[in-house]
Amino acid sequence: MKKLSKRLQKLNNLVEKKLYSVDESIKLLKETATASFVESTEAHISLNIDPKYADQQLRTTLVLPNGTGKTVRLAVLIPDEKIKPEYKQQADIVGSNDLIEKITKGDIDFDILIASPDMMPKLAKLGRVLGPKGLMPSPKSGTVTDDISETINQFKKGKIEYKADRTGIVHLNFGKSNFTNEQLLQNLLAFYNSVEQNKPSGVKGKYFKSFYICNTMGPSIQIDLTSMV
């Protein structure tokens, strides 16, 4: 068994095996952010769903009020004749067939790819390249659109996509450990409310099973779901 570091042992002693209110959990989250770098803050919600059924799948987007704290590189794929000067000012990369050529060669220097609908047929052959990296544009993630400018703005403001994995758990980075308590709380509540509002139609009985938060290098803190109301 891997031996825990003294730092992690100390942090584990701070977290009791109990349910914390959302306010208490955020405060404790800040106290356990003791790594030598600015950690990401993670949320993990276990849901009573079976994603193998179409009516129990959860995949959607939301804009976090305070962003994720991460700078994302945006690429836009659009026909040459539709490229506008403002797109080049807003996005990090803008291209057409030239961008497809770069992707084909493995030159993927972006975190999010936004594409106009008329470019999707040309992207089909790159599914094996982009798919495993989670970079394939799709209408569900809001990355296939004709409203390029507004979509760029939304992702720059902190729009993110999340989905339940095959075990019914949703994982999300909702900020950074140097965010204020209020910023983290606002982001966490926005995430929780989004999951609640997008409850799959096939869910029977209790929807939420458990809710944990943690820092990248810290222990898990379980939130009392009744405090989210």
Side-chain angles (χ1 to χ4, degrees):
M1 181 182 288
K2 187 177 180 181
K3 189 176 180 181
L4 294 177
S5 66
K6 288 183 179 180
R7 186 190 72 85
L8 196 52
Q9 287 178 29
K10 184 179 179 181
L11 294 183
N12 283 340
N13 291 332
L14 287 177
V15 182
E16 299 178 43
K17 289 188 177 181
K18 70 170 193 176
L19 299 177
Y20 289 88
S21 71
V22 64
D23 291 316
E24 290 174 330
S25 68
I26 292 294
K27 183 180 177 182
L28 189 54
L29 185 73
K30 294 281 287 182
E31 291 174 6
T32 57
T34 60
S36 58
F37 59 92
V38 178
E39 301 174 67
S40 292
T41 55
E42 306 171 4
H44 307 275
I45 299 180
S46 179
L47 302 172
N48 183 34
I49 61 175
D50 188 347
K52 72 180 180 182
Y53 298 107
D55 64 352
Q56 293 190 47
Q57 294 175 359
L58 175 63
R59 182 180 182 182
T60 188
T61 61
L62 81 149
V63 177
L64 292 173
N66 304 293
T68 62
K70 178 184 176 183
T71 301
V72 296
R73 284 183 60 79
L74 288 172
V76 173
L77 181 64
I78 190 170
D80 282 318
E81 65 273 13
K82 291 185 178 180
I83 294 177
K84 297 179 180 179
E86 57 260 39
Y87 298 164
K88 293 184 177 182
Q89 293 174 355
Q90 294 174 294
D92 300 282
I93 301 169
V94 179
S96 184
N97 292 327
D98 57 329
L99 179 53
I100 289 179
E101 213 172 298
K102 286 183 179 179
I103 297 172
T104 303
K105 294 177 180 177
D107 185 2
I108 301 175
D109 187 23
F110 52 83
D111 303 300
I112 297 171
L113 177 60
I114 298 168
S116 59
D118 44 8
M119 293 300 290
M120 289 306 293
K122 293 185 178 183
L123 265 186
K125 62 181 180 181
L126 295 175
R128 290 183 180 180
V129 178
L130 297 171
K133 297 179 182 293
L135 295 173
M136 191 67 176
S138 75
K140 282 188 176 181
S141 65
T143 48
V144 176
T145 178
D146 282 315
D147 194 350
I148 301 296
S149 186
E150 177 59 25
T151 301
I152 294 173
N153 285 334
Q154 287 183 342
F155 279 103
K156 286 289 187 182
K157 288 177 182 176
K159 184 176 182 178
I160 52 174
E161 179 189 13
Y162 68 84
K163 64 179 180 179
D165 65 18
R166 59 185 178 183
T167 65
I169 300 175
V170 183
H171 310 274
L172 184 82
N173 286 346
F174 68 98
K176 293 283 188 179
S177 58
N178 61 355
F179 279 23
T180 66
N181 288 33
E182 185 62 25
Q183 287 175 321
L184 289 172
L185 179 61
Q186 289 174 352
N187 278 1
L188 193 63
L189 289 175
F191 173 45
Y192 175 85
N193 290 333
S194 176
V195 172
E196 186 174 45
Q197 290 163 9
N198 288 282
K199 178 180 178 180
S201 60
V203 173
K204 306 296 181 186
K206 186 179 179 181
Y207 181 35
F208 290 93
K209 291 167 69 176
S210 64
F211 192 177
Y212 288 86
I213 60 173
C214 65
N215 294 298
T216 307
M217 303 293 288
S220 295
I221 303 163
Q222 187 170 9
I223 297 177
D224 181 354
L225 287 165
T226 63
S227 71
M228 302 299 293
V229 179

